[in-house]
Amino acid sequence: MRTLAILGSTGSIGTSTLDVVRAHPERLSVVALAAGRNRELLKAQCETFRPRCVSVGTREDADWLRSNLSYRPEVHWGGEGLLACALHAEADTVVAAIVGSAGLASTEAALRAGRRVCVANKESLVVGGALMHEAALAGGGELLPVDSEHAALHQLLEGRDPATIREVRITASGGPFRDWPLAQIQTATVDQALNHPTWKMGPKITIDSATLMNKGLEVIEASVLFGLSADQVAVTVHPQSQVHAMVGFHDGSYQLQVCANDMKLPIQYCLLYPEKQPGPVAPYPWDAARQWTFEAPDLERFPCLGLAFQALRAGGTAPALLNAANEVAVAAFLQGRLGFWDIQACNHETLSRIPATPLGSLAQVLDADATARRHAEGWVHARA
């Protein structure tokens, strides 16, 4: 029996994780749930799974939850609440699905405490990947990737001699603007950018998919997770989202990982690893007619992907600077304070103006994050 703390339980990854738990009641149980402001859904989750530890975003929501639950768990709030859930004594597995750099400290703490951490919060690896590995090594924690592409790579690379690997390729759907001309992309609206053709996700990651920044962050994540150089990681646009990753060997051959585009599959892979059990997703329907297409990404129309490769090559705090600027820019776009094309401009400006430094500590990463946010906010304000 694996005992879970789910950080970000009301988001898309969190709710899918709970679907996997429902499919495996004899193998998975929930001991802690943490969420942001969706207190009604969190309350319903608590009543169903009866976690012993719960956290919400604010003190007010914590008070509301205490008054409205039919039982009496520990109720926490804010950053300390995330840590309380991640480090709960009965949790041996942490699903890290808090969006953005807010999940960094709890992910690091869980690894240092020896937990299995199923990372859906890619920013933890993008911003402080070397520190996450250091924490896992120091505390005996285990790091498994929930992103479909990285879970695919984990399966393809397991047991392989690194010397045989020429490159890895992660796939991108191309987002809603894959076929749009540059001039039309530059004037895209929020509603258009949120209309993803393949995946149902939260607004931030959906906008990142429209700019291909999400794929750029995944490039950095793949490098961190599997010890790959920037030249060993590539992106292939695959609109059908059925092939999730490929590994190329020095002999010229490739191996591919294929499954339905349902996040419950990589979530279950991480939770039950190394076992593979039947779950809530049907086997891939090979008898159905289909067509797969593959193409190279266009960095002129999607410059955020190129910026991610630039940050990866620069190393140190550069990925943290890029990630922070992007979070500010995407939030401003969703609020109507920036245009769509301004997202890449803000990211480029921040990465260009703030020098990267070697990565040394979590405090340093958080300082770089704060510096980039201040710069990006100033840039957004000047554009308004």
Side-chain angles (χ1 to χ4, degrees), residues 5-76:
I6 304 174
L7 313 183
S9 68
T10 58
S12 60
I13 295 295
T15 54
S16 291
T17 300
L18 292 173
D19 287 340
V20 175
V21 173
R22 290 184 180 93
H24 298 282
E26 77 292 350
R27 293 175 178 272
L28 302 171
S29 68
V30 177
V31 298
L33 293 176
R37 296 302 308 275
N38 193 345
R39 64 190 192 184
E40 293 285 353
L41 179 54
L42 180 60
K43 174 180 179 291
Q45 291 174 343
C46 289
E47 297 294 357
T48 299
F49 294 95
R50 314 288 282 192
R52 297 162 182 75
C53 183
V54 185
S55 179
V56 282
T58 68
R59 184 192 297 272
E60 177 188 359
D61 287 335
D63 291 341
W64 179 91
L65 204 59
R66 288 190 191 94
S67 301
N68 284 275
L69 284 174
S70 65
Y71 73 112
R72 292 290 175 266
E74 302 172 33
V75 180
H76 304 272

Coordinates of all heavy atoms in Angstrom, one line a residue, residues 5-76:
A5 N 0.5 11.9 -0.4 CA 0.2 13.3 -0.2 C 0.1 13.9 -1.5 O 1.1 13.8 -2.3 CB 1.3 13.9 0.7
I6 N -1.0 14.5 -1.9 CA -1.2 15.1 -3.2 C -1.2 16.6 -3.0 O -2.1 17.2 -2.4 CB -2.5 14.6 -3.8 CG1 -2.5 13.1 -3.9 CG2 -2.7 15.2 -5.2 CD1 -3.8 12.5 -4.4
L7 N -0.2 17.3 -3.6 CA -0.1 18.7 -3.5 C -0.6 19.3 -4.8 O 0.0 19.1 -5.9 CB 1.4 19.1 -3.3 CG 2.2 18.4 -2.2 CD1 3.6 18.9 -2.1 CD2 1.4 18.4 -0.9
G8 N -1.7 20.0 -4.7 CA -2.4 20.5 -5.9 C -3.6 19.5 -6.3 O -3.8 19.2 -7.4
S9 N -4.3 19.1 -5.3 CA -5.3 18.0 -5.5 C -6.5 18.5 -6.3 O -7.2 17.6 -6.9 CB -5.8 17.5 -4.1 OG -6.5 18.5 -3.4
T10 N -6.8 19.8 -6.4 CA -8.0 20.2 -7.1 C -7.6 20.6 -8.5 O -8.6 20.9 -9.3 CB -8.6 21.4 -6.4 OG1 -7.7 22.5 -6.3 CG2 -9.1 21.1 -5.0
G11 N -6.4 20.6 -9.0 CA -6.0 20.8 -10.3 C -6.2 19.6 -11.2 O -6.6 18.5 -10.7
S12 N -5.8 19.7 -12.5 CA -6.1 18.6 -13.4 C -5.3 17.4 -13.0 O -5.8 16.2 -13.1 CB -5.8 19.0 -14.8 OG -4.4 19.5 -15.0
I13 N -4.0 17.6 -12.7 CA -3.2 16.4 -12.3 C -3.7 15.8 -11.0 O -3.8 14.6 -10.8 CB -1.7 16.8 -12.1 CG1 -1.1 17.3 -13.4 CG2 -0.9 15.7 -11.5 CD1 -1.0 16.2 -14.5
G14 N -4.1 16.7 -10.0 CA -4.6 16.2 -8.7 C -5.8 15.4 -8.9 O -6.0 14.3 -8.3
T15 N -6.8 15.9 -9.7 CA -8.0 15.1 -9.8 C -7.8 13.8 -10.6 O -8.4 12.8 -10.3 CB -9.1 16.0 -10.5 OG1 -8.6 16.5 -11.8 CG2 -9.5 17.2 -9.7
S16 N -6.9 13.8 -11.6 CA -6.6 12.6 -12.3 C -5.9 11.6 -11.3 O -6.1 10.4 -11.4 CB -5.7 12.9 -13.5 OG -6.4 13.6 -14.5
T17 N -5.0 12.1 -10.4 CA -4.4 11.2 -9.5 C -5.4 10.5 -8.6 O -5.4 9.3 -8.3 CB -3.4 12.0 -8.6 OG1 -2.4 12.6 -9.4 CG2 -2.8 11.1 -7.6
L18 N -6.4 11.3 -8.2 CA -7.5 10.7 -7.4 C -8.3 9.6 -8.1 O -8.8 8.7 -7.6 CB -8.4 11.8 -6.8 CG -7.7 12.7 -5.7 CD1 -8.6 13.8 -5.4 CD2 -7.3 11.9 -4.5
D19 N -8.4 9.8 -9.5 CA -9.1 8.8 -10.3 C -8.3 7.5 -10.3 O -8.8 6.4 -10.3 CB -9.2 9.3 -11.7 CG -10.3 10.3 -11.9 OD1 -11.2 10.4 -11.0 OD2 -10.3 11.1 -12.9
V20 N -7.0 7.7 -10.3 CA -6.1 6.5 -10.3 C -6.2 5.8 -8.9 O -6.2 4.6 -8.8 CB -4.6 6.9 -10.5 CG1 -3.7 5.7 -10.3 CG2 -4.5 7.4 -12.0
V21 N -6.3 6.6 -7.8 CA -6.5 6.0 -6.5 C -7.8 5.2 -6.4 O -7.8 4.1 -5.9 CB -6.5 7.1 -5.4 CG1 -6.9 6.6 -4.1 CG2 -5.1 7.8 -5.4
R22 N -8.8 5.8 -7.0 CA -10.1 5.0 -7.0 C -10.0 3.7 -7.8 O -10.7 2.7 -7.4 CB -11.2 5.9 -7.7 CG -11.6 7.1 -7.0 CD -12.8 7.8 -7.7 NE -13.2 9.0 -7.0 CZ -12.8 10.2 -7.2 NH1 -11.8 10.4 -8.2 NH2 -13.2 11.2 -6.5
A23 N -9.1 3.6 -8.8 CA -9.0 2.4 -9.5 C -8.1 1.4 -8.8 O -8.1 0.2 -9.2 CB -8.3 2.7 -10.9
H24 N -7.4 1.8 -7.7 CA -6.5 0.9 -7.0 C -6.7 1.0 -5.5 O -5.7 1.3 -4.8 CB -5.1 1.1 -7.4 CG -4.8 0.9 -8.9 ND1 -4.6 -0.4 -9.4 CD2 -4.7 1.8 -9.9 CE1 -4.4 -0.3 -10.7 NE2 -4.4 1.0 -11.0
P25 N -7.8 0.8 -5.0 CA -8.0 1.0 -3.5 C -7.2 0.1 -2.7 O -7.0 0.4 -1.5 CB -9.6 0.8 -3.4 CG -9.9 -0.1 -4.5 CD -9.1 0.4 -5.7
E26 N -6.8 -1.0 -3.2 CA -6.0 -2.0 -2.5 C -4.6 -1.7 -2.5 O -3.8 -2.3 -1.7 CB -6.2 -3.4 -3.1 CG -5.5 -3.7 -4.3 CD -6.0 -3.0 -5.6 OE1 -7.0 -2.3 -5.5 OE2 -5.3 -3.0 -6.6
R27 N -4.1 -0.7 -3.3 CA -2.7 -0.4 -3.4 C -2.4 1.1 -3.1 O -1.2 1.4 -2.8 CB -2.2 -0.6 -4.9 CG -2.2 -2.1 -5.3 CD -1.9 -2.3 -6.7 NE -1.8 -3.7 -7.1 CZ -0.8 -4.5 -7.0 NH1 0.4 -4.0 -6.5 NH2 -0.8 -5.7 -7.3
L28 N -3.4 2.0 -3.1 CA -3.1 3.4 -2.9 C -4.1 4.0 -1.9 O -5.3 3.7 -2.0 CB -3.3 4.1 -4.3 CG -2.4 3.7 -5.4 CD1 -2.8 4.4 -6.7 CD2 -0.9 4.0 -5.1
S29 N -3.6 4.8 -1.0 CA -4.5 5.5 -0.1 C -4.0 6.9 0.0 O -2.8 7.2 -0.2 CB -4.6 4.8 1.3 OG -3.4 4.9 1.9
V30 N -4.9 7.8 0.4 CA -4.6 9.3 0.5 C -4.5 9.6 2.0 O -5.5 9.4 2.8 CB -5.7 10.1 -0.2 CG1 -5.4 11.6 0.0 CG2 -5.7 9.8 -1.7
V31 N -3.4 10.2 2.4 CA -3.2 10.7 3.8 C -3.1 12.2 3.9 O -3.3 12.8 5.0 CB -2.0 10.1 4.5 CG1 -2.2 8.5 4.6 CG2 -0.7 10.4 3.8
A32 N -2.9 12.9 2.8 CA -2.8 14.4 2.8 C -3.2 14.9 1.5 O -2.8 14.4 0.4 CB -1.4 14.8 3.2
L33 N -3.9 16.1 1.5 CA -4.4 16.8 0.3 C -4.1 18.3 0.5 O -4.4 18.8 1.6 CB -5.9 16.6 0.1 CG -6.4 15.2 -0.4 CD1 -7.9 15.2 -0.5 CD2 -5.7 14.8 -1.7
A34 N -3.5 18.9 -0.5 CA -3.2 20.3 -0.4 C -3.8 21.0 -1.7 O -3.6 20.4 -2.8 CB -1.7 20.6 -0.3
A35 N -4.4 22.1 -1.5 CA -5.0 22.8 -2.7 C -4.8 24.3 -2.5 O -4.2 24.8 -1.5 CB -6.4 22.5 -2.8
G36 N -5.3 25.1 -3.5 CA -5.2 26.6 -3.4 C -6.4 27.2 -2.9 O -6.7 27.1 -1.7
R37 N -7.3 27.7 -3.8 CA -8.5 28.4 -3.3 C -9.8 27.7 -3.6 O -10.9 28.1 -3.3 CB -8.5 29.8 -4.0 CG -7.4 30.8 -3.7 CD -7.4 31.0 -2.2 NE -8.7 31.5 -1.6 CZ -9.1 32.7 -1.6 NH1 -8.4 33.7 -2.1 NH2 -10.3 33.0 -1.1
N38 N -9.7 26.5 -4.3 CA -10.9 25.8 -4.6 C -11.4 25.0 -3.4 O -11.3 23.7 -3.4 CB -10.7 24.9 -5.9 CG -12.0 24.4 -6.4 OD1 -13.1 24.4 -5.8 ND2 -11.9 23.9 -7.7
R39 N -11.9 25.7 -2.4 CA -12.2 25.0 -1.2 C -13.4 24.1 -1.3 O -13.5 23.1 -0.6 CB -12.4 26.0 -0.1 CG -13.6 27.0 -0.2 CD -13.5 28.1 0.8 NE -14.8 28.8 0.8 CZ -15.0 29.9 1.6 NH1 -14.0 30.3 2.4 NH2 -16.1 30.5 1.6
E40 N -14.3 24.3 -2.1 CA -15.5 23.5 -2.3 C -15.1 22.1 -2.8 O -15.5 21.1 -2.3 CB -16.5 24.1 -3.2 CG -17.2 25.4 -2.7 CD -18.2 25.1 -1.6 OE1 -18.5 23.9 -1.3 OE2 -18.7 26.1 -1.0
L41 N -14.3 22.1 -3.9 CA -13.8 20.8 -4.4 C -12.9 20.1 -3.4 O -13.0 18.9 -3.2 CB -13.1 21.0 -5.7 CG -12.5 19.8 -6.4 CD1 -13.6 18.7 -6.6 CD2 -11.9 20.1 -7.7
L42 N -12.1 20.8 -2.7 CA -11.2 20.2 -1.7 C -12.1 19.6 -0.6 O -11.8 18.5 -0.1 CB -10.3 21.2 -1.1 CG -9.3 20.7 0.0 CD1 -8.4 19.6 -0.6 CD2 -8.5 21.8 0.6
K43 N -13.1 20.3 -0.2 CA -14.0 19.7 0.8 C -14.6 18.4 0.4 O -14.6 17.4 1.1 CB -15.1 20.7 1.1 CG -16.2 20.2 2.1 CD -17.3 21.2 2.4 CE -18.4 20.7 3.3 NZ -19.2 19.6 2.6
A44 N -15.1 18.3 -0.9 CA -15.6 17.1 -1.4 C -14.6 16.0 -1.5 O -14.9 14.8 -1.2 CB -16.2 17.4 -2.8
Q45 N -13.4 16.3 -1.9 CA -12.3 15.3 -1.9 C -12.0 14.8 -0.5 O -11.8 13.6 -0.3 CB -11.0 16.0 -2.5 CG -11.2 16.3 -4.0 CD -9.9 17.0 -4.5 OE1 -9.1 17.6 -3.7 NE2 -9.8 17.0 -5.8
C46 N -12.0 15.7 0.5 CA -11.8 15.3 1.9 C -12.9 14.3 2.3 O -12.6 13.3 3.0 CB -11.7 16.5 2.8 SG -10.2 17.5 2.6
E47 N -14.1 14.6 2.0 CA -15.2 13.8 2.5 C -15.1 12.4 1.8 O -15.5 11.4 2.5 CB -16.5 14.4 2.2 CG -16.8 15.7 2.9 CD -16.9 15.6 4.4 OE1 -16.9 14.5 4.9 OE2 -17.1 16.6 5.1
T48 N -14.6 12.3 0.6 CA -14.5 11.0 -0.1 C -13.3 10.2 0.4 O -13.4 9.0 0.7 CB -14.3 11.2 -1.6 OG1 -15.5 11.9 -2.1 CG2 -14.2 9.9 -2.3
F49 N -12.1 10.9 0.5 CA -10.9 10.2 0.8 C -10.4 10.3 2.3 O -9.5 9.5 2.7 CB -9.8 10.7 -0.1 CG -10.0 10.3 -1.6 CD1 -10.6 11.3 -2.4 CD2 -9.7 9.1 -2.1 CE1 -10.9 11.0 -3.7 CE2 -9.9 8.8 -3.4 CZ -10.5 9.7 -4.2
R50 N -11.0 11.1 3.0 CA -10.7 11.3 4.5 C -9.2 11.4 4.8 O -8.7 10.7 5.6 CB -11.3 10.1 5.3 CG -12.7 9.7 4.9 CD -13.7 10.7 5.4 NE -14.0 10.6 6.8 CZ -15.0 11.2 7.4 NH1 -15.8 12.0 6.7 NH2 -15.3 11.0 8.7
P51 N -8.5 12.3 4.2 CA -7.1 12.5 4.5 C -6.9 13.0 6.0 O -7.8 13.7 6.5 CB -6.6 13.6 3.5 CG -7.8 14.4 3.2 CD -9.0 13.3 3.2
R52 N -5.8 12.7 6.5 CA -5.5 13.1 7.9 C -5.0 14.5 8.0 O -5.0 15.2 9.0 CB -4.5 12.1 8.6 CG -5.0 10.7 8.7 CD -3.9 9.7 8.9 NE -4.3 8.4 9.0 CZ -4.7 7.6 8.0 NH1 -4.7 8.1 6.8 NH2 -5.0 6.4 8.1
C53 N -4.4 15.0 6.9 CA -3.8 16.3 6.8 C -4.3 17.0 5.6 O -4.3 16.5 4.5 CB -2.3 16.2 6.8 SG -1.4 17.7 6.8
V54 N -4.7 18.3 5.7 CA -5.3 19.1 4.6 C -4.7 20.5 4.7 O -4.4 21.0 5.8 CB -6.8 19.2 4.8 CG1 -7.4 19.9 3.5 CG2 -7.4 17.8 4.9
S55 N -4.4 21.1 3.5 CA -3.9 22.4 3.4 C -4.7 23.2 2.3 O -4.9 22.7 1.3 CB -2.4 22.5 3.2 OG -2.0 23.8 3.1
V56 N -4.9 24.5 2.6 CA -5.5 25.4 1.6 C -4.6 26.7 1.5 O -3.7 26.8 2.3 CB -6.9 25.8 1.9 CG1 -7.9 24.7 1.6 CG2 -7.0 26.2 3.4
G57 N -5.0 27.5 0.6 CA -4.2 28.7 0.3 C -4.1 29.8 1.4 O -3.1 30.4 1.6
T58 N -5.3 30.0 2.0 CA -5.3 31.1 3.0 C -5.9 30.7 4.3 O -6.5 29.7 4.5 CB -6.3 32.2 2.4 OG1 -7.6 31.7 2.4 CG2 -5.8 32.7 1.0
R59 N -5.6 31.5 5.3 CA -6.1 31.2 6.7 C -7.7 31.2 6.7 O -8.3 30.4 7.3 CB -5.6 32.3 7.7 CG -6.0 32.0 9.1 CD -5.8 33.2 10.0 NE -4.4 33.6 10.1 CZ -3.5 33.0 11.0 NH1 -4.0 32.1 11.8 NH2 -2.3 33.4 11.0
E60 N -8.3 32.2 5.9 CA -9.7 32.2 5.9 C -10.3 30.9 5.3 O -11.3 30.4 5.9 CB -10.1 33.4 5.0 CG -11.7 33.5 4.7 CD -12.0 34.5 3.7 OE1 -11.1 35.2 3.1 OE2 -13.2 34.7 3.4
D61 N -9.7 30.4 4.3 CA -10.2 29.1 3.7 C -10.0 28.0 4.7 O -10.8 27.0 4.7 CB -9.5 28.8 2.4 CG -10.0 29.7 1.3 OD1 -11.2 30.2 1.4 OD2 -9.3 30.0 0.3
A62 N -8.9 28.0 5.4 CA -8.6 27.0 6.4 C -9.7 27.0 7.5 O -10.2 25.9 7.9 CB -7.2 27.2 7.0
D63 N -10.1 28.2 8.0 CA -11.1 28.3 9.0 C -12.5 27.7 8.4 O -13.2 27.1 9.1 CB -11.3 29.7 9.4 CG -10.1 30.2 10.2 OD1 -9.3 29.4 10.7 OD2 -9.9 31.5 10.3
W64 N -12.7 28.1 7.2 CA -14.0 27.6 6.5 C -14.0 26.1 6.4 O -15.0 25.5 6.7 CB -14.1 28.2 5.1 CG -15.3 27.8 4.4 CD1 -16.5 28.4 4.4 CD2 -15.4 26.7 3.5 NE1 -17.4 27.8 3.6 CE2 -16.8 26.7 3.0 CE3 -14.6 25.7 3.1 CZ2 -17.3 25.7 2.2 CZ3 -15.1 24.7 2.3 CH2 -16.4 24.7 1.8
L65 N -12.9 25.5 6.1 CA -12.8 24.1 5.9 C -13.0 23.4 7.3 O -13.7 22.4 7.4 CB -11.4 23.7 5.3 CG -11.3 22.4 4.6 CD1 -12.3 22.3 3.4 CD2 -9.9 22.2 4.1
R66 N -12.4 23.9 8.3 CA -12.6 23.3 9.7 C -14.0 23.3 10.0 O -14.5 22.4 10.7 CB -11.8 24.1 10.7 CG -10.3 23.9 10.6 CD -9.6 24.5 11.8 NE -8.1 24.6 11.7 CZ -7.5 25.6 11.2 NH1 -8.1 26.7 10.9 NH2 -6.2 25.6 11.1
S67 N -14.7 24.4 9.7 CA -16.1 24.5 10.1 C -17.1 23.7 9.2 O -18.2 23.4 9.7 CB -16.6 26.0 10.0 OG -15.8 26.8 10.8
N68 N -16.6 23.2 8.0 CA -17.6 22.6 7.1 C -17.3 21.1 6.9 O -18.1 20.4 6.2 CB -17.6 23.3 5.8 CG -18.3 24.6 5.9 OD1 -19.5 24.7 5.7 ND2 -17.6 25.7 6.1
L69 N -16.2 20.6 7.4 CA -15.9 19.2 7.2 C -16.7 18.3 8.3 O -16.9 18.8 9.4 CB -14.4 18.9 7.3 CG -13.6 19.2 6.1 CD1 -12.1 19.1 6.4 CD2 -14.0 18.4 4.9
S70 N -17.0 17.1 7.9 CA -17.8 16.3 8.8 C -16.8 15.5 9.8 O -17.3 14.8 10.6 CB -18.6 15.3 8.0 OG -17.8 14.4 7.3
Y71 N -15.5 15.7 9.6 CA -14.6 15.0 10.5 C -13.5 16.0 10.8 O -13.5 17.2 10.3 CB -14.0 13.7 9.9 CG -13.0 13.9 8.8 CD1 -11.7 13.6 8.9 CD2 -13.5 14.4 7.5 CE1 -10.8 13.8 7.9 CE2 -12.6 14.6 6.5 CZ -11.2 14.3 6.7 OH -10.3 14.4 5.7
R72 N -12.5 15.7 11.6 CA -11.5 16.7 12.1 C -10.1 16.3 11.7 O -9.3 15.8 12.5 CB -11.6 16.8 13.6 CG -12.9 17.4 14.1 CD -13.0 18.9 13.7 NE -14.2 19.5 14.0 CZ -15.2 19.7 13.1 NH1 -15.1 19.2 11.9 NH2 -16.4 20.2 13.5
P73 N -9.7 16.6 10.5 CA -8.2 16.4 10.1 C -7.4 17.5 10.6 O -7.9 18.6 11.1 CB -8.3 16.3 8.6 CG -9.4 17.3 8.3 CD -10.4 17.1 9.3
E74 N -6.1 17.4 10.5 CA -5.2 18.6 10.7 C -5.5 19.5 9.5 O -5.5 19.1 8.3 CB -3.7 18.2 10.6 CG -3.2 17.2 11.6 CD -1.8 16.8 11.3 OE1 -1.0 17.7 10.7 OE2 -1.5 15.7 11.5
V75 N -5.7 20.8 9.7 CA -6.0 21.8 8.6 C -4.9 22.9 8.7 O -4.7 23.5 9.7 CB -7.4 22.4 8.7 CG1 -7.6 23.4 7.6 CG2 -8.4 21.3 8.6
H76 N -4.2 23.0 7.6 CA -3.1 24.0 7.5 C -3.4 24.9 6.3 O -4.3 24.8 5.6 CB -1.7 23.3 7.3 CG -1.4 22.3 8.3 ND1 -0.8 22.6 9.5 CD2 -1.6 21.0 8.4 CE1 -0.6 21.5 10.2 NE2 -1.1 20.5 9.6

